[in-house]
Amino acid sequence: MYKAFRIFLIGLTVLILFSCDVSNHAPITTFKDQTEKLHAIIENTSAEQYANQNYQSLSFSELKVYKPEAFVQLDSMYRIKKEYLDNNDLRGLKQSGIEDLIPGYRAAAQEKIHEVQYEIEHLFQTSTADSIKVYHSFFLFDYKDSLISVTPFYNFRIANEHKDLYYAYQFDYHFVTNRDLITSTAELEFLNFFKQREVQLIGEAELQSFMDHTMKVMETARKVQTMDFRQLSRSLAINHFKNPNKEIVIEQFGTLYVIEESDFVQAYELTIEWTDEQKIMNTSTFTFSPYLEIINVETKIK
């Protein structure tokens, strides 16, 4: 992506220099310069839009380029020329006739330069006394780096008590312990698994409750210092039992069973035996979603 964009940016810069008749002493815009400029425009625009809401920029996606076919063809010419130069094959470059062809392709691209657009997804937050609100929005620019439009994508809230866990979730930080450690492969797999579900729920009413649940699962994982679903399911079930006006005693945990269909996990089941205040033995069967959401609890007196 970056390599292709750099080649495209070189061609675009050349076009702009020729079309504007810039002097030889004018500074040349680099990929880094342009990206930083676009980021600044995005942050200034967002800060103004969300004034008095404690706006905070979190991250940006890679810059995506929309360009007409004429630019694709010009990119191809520059790419071929670069390969000759990288191989120090000046003779081959001359025989290829590429340099004679480039002006024609450049002229064709110049006619379509107004169709070039850039897009960046911006992740940012606003905050209140009890929560942060996380936004994903797309910012579209023309070839002159002027902002064309801002398209809100989706958003959700995170309770302040889970704010640090959300940052760990979003940026793939270590979270199972409070120690400053490198994120393990198991943690990355865990986070990516939940992020995939987040993406699936974009635009759905269930997204907010799922993000609340994800933070609770991460909080539980930190408390028990493991991402093992067997341990997590037990802890989540115990939390379900907690009631300040009721005392129970867990007698025995069953095995966490996996319910599969066509090699895909559909649900988990966990049976727990417990006694109530009257010493009556009960058996509760918990059904969890693949993301450990409790979707059903069936209790019987044993």
Side-chain angles (χ1 to χ4, degrees), residues 5 48 71 105 131-132 173 185 190 192 200 202 207 212 216 236 243 247 252 262 278 291:
F5 179 73
E48 182 177 348
F71 271 94
Y105 281 95
S131 66
I132 63 172
Y173 297 156
T185 300
F190 179 96
N192 287 333
Q200 291 172 355
I202 292 174
L207 176 61
D212 293 338
K216 290 178 181 178
L236 293 169
N243 186 329
E247 291 186 7
Q252 184 175 335
S262 301
Q278 286 74 43
Y291 304 92

Side-chain angles (χ1 to χ4, degrees), residues 229-245:
F229 272 29
R230 291 170 296 183
Q231 295 296 325
L232 291 176
S233 62
R234 292 181 179 184
S235 295
L236 293 169
I238 290 174
N239 289 337
H240 178 82
F241 278 126
K242 286 183 177 179
N243 186 329
N245 300 317

Side-chain angles (χ1 to χ4, degrees), residues 44-170:
N44 291 337
T45 301
S46 300
E48 182 177 348
Q49 181 179 357
Y50 295 94
N52 303 320
Q53 296 185 51
N54 300 313
Y55 161 82
Q56 181 179 338
S57 176
L58 295 178
S59 69
F60 299 93
S61 69
E62 291 184 1
L63 187 149
K64 186 174 183 179
V65 182
Y66 298 99
K67 52 189 175 181
E69 182 63 26
F71 271 94
V72 176
Q73 295 172 350
L74 180 61
D75 289 348
S76 179
M77 292 295 102
Y78 280 121
R79 189 176 298 109
I80 294 172
K81 178 177 179 179
K82 183 176 183 299
E83 289 175 358
Y84 278 113
L85 295 176
D86 288 345
N87 294 324
N88 199 27
D89 186 6
L90 299 181
R91 181 179 179 182
L93 174 61
K94 184 176 181 179
Q95 291 177 341
S96 71
I98 291 294
E99 290 190 303
D100 295 329
L101 294 173
I102 284 178
Y105 281 95
R106 191 164 57 223
Q110 174 64 48
E111 295 180 359
K112 299 291 185 178
I113 193 171
H114 62 281
E115 296 181 16
V116 175
Q117 295 180 338
Y118 308 122
E119 185 179 71
I120 300 177
E121 181 182 358
H122 182 34
L123 176 69
F124 61 96
Q125 71 175 52
T126 58
S127 61
T128 62
D130 60 354
S131 66
I132 63 172
K133 188 173 183 180
V134 179
Y135 301 78
H136 291 255
S137 293
F138 285 99
F139 289 72
L140 187 66
F141 297 84
D142 65 16
Y143 78 100
K144 294 181 179 180
D145 296 345
S146 298
L147 183 62
I148 299 174
S149 64
V150 180
T151 305
F153 190 24
Y154 69 103
N155 60 72
F156 50 80
R157 292 190 180 276
I158 299 292
N160 275 342
E161 63 189 89
H162 293 146
K163 184 167 59 176
D164 289 341
L165 282 174
Y166 169 72
Y167 296 147
Y169 165 85
Q170 182 62 47

Side-chain angles (χ1 to χ4, degrees), residues 189-253:
E189 291 175 349
F190 179 96
L191 293 172
N192 287 333
F193 181 61
F194 279 82
K195 286 179 181 179
Q196 288 172 9
R197 183 58 175 164
E198 175 194 341
V199 172
Q200 291 172 355
L201 291 175
I202 292 174
E204 302 294 333
E206 297 90 343
L207 176 61
Q208 182 61 62
S209 61
F210 179 76
M211 294 307 300
D212 293 338
H213 169 72
T214 300
M215 296 303 106
K216 290 178 181 178
V217 174
M218 291 179 67
E219 182 179 43
T220 302
R222 174 171 286 181
K223 287 179 179 178
V224 298
Q225 297 194 4
T226 182
M227 291 165 294
D228 188 321
F229 272 29
R230 291 170 296 183
Q231 295 296 325
L232 291 176
S233 62
R234 292 181 179 184
S235 295
L236 293 169
I238 290 174
N239 289 337
H240 178 82
F241 278 126
K242 286 183 177 179
N243 186 329
N245 300 317
K246 184 176 180 180
E247 291 186 7
I248 70 168
V249 177
I250 303 294
E251 301 291 348
Q252 184 175 335
F253 290 103

Side-chain angles (χ1 to χ4, degrees), residues 252-257 269-273 283-286 288:
Q252 184 175 335
F253 290 103
T255 301
L256 182 67
Y257 289 101
E269 279 192 357
L270 175 68
T271 299
I272 299 177
E273 294 183 357
T283 301
S284 292
T285 300
F286 287 77
F288 298 88

